[in-house]
Amino acid sequence: LVGAGLMLRTFTNLMRADVGLNTDGLIVTRVLLDPRRFPDGPDRTAYFARLEPQLRAIPGVENVALTTGLPLSDMNFGPERPYWREGDAAPKGGGRKVRLQMISTQYFATTGTPLLAGRPFDERDDLDAPPVAILNETLARQLWPHERAVGKRIVIDLPRGAYPYEVVGVMRDAHAESLRDAAEPEIRLPHAQFPYNRVNV
């Protein structure tokens, strides 16, 4: 009885734990685009630009968003890449890595994930616009412990080259792997600027 009671209390606490998003009424499905039919960014962007309003038009659907990663889930497609503050020397041997997640403009409105500073992504953040990023609070504190991160620039080392991204927002931490572990540094990029062919809708 004692063991069963402890297990039930642990289960109740886990159900009440803050995972970083509002799961009430949230439905998630994967969309995997065939890379032969959608070989490049503009094709993928055009497909998802058609898909989102079609799903939003379904009766009962309040909002729709895309993300390559979800807290406490194995449905994470984003890569891990080296990063550093603009103005710092590139670290030797690659340096520390951070997980990148690509999200659409309605991610914060759909999941209820709080944005602590700055703005969410919007229609201006497309392939033709300067690259922008939203950091989680852990990474923002690590890079600029006594400064405001919004307006600063972070360099991300991608396979096609290292580019600076302007920080336009800071979001609340979410537990990526386990509720028991501390939050890891994370970066969100606009899906329109980094159109992945594998997403969670």
Side-chain angles (χ1 to χ4, degrees), residues 9-23 72 172 175 178-180:
R9 187 173 70 177
T10 300
F11 178 76
T12 301
N13 289 338
L14 287 173
M15 292 297 291
R16 293 175 178 170
D18 183 4
V19 298
L21 76 165
N22 181 10
T23 59
L72 306 177
R172 194 175 71 186
H175 295 274
S178 168
L179 288 173
R180 298 181 184 274

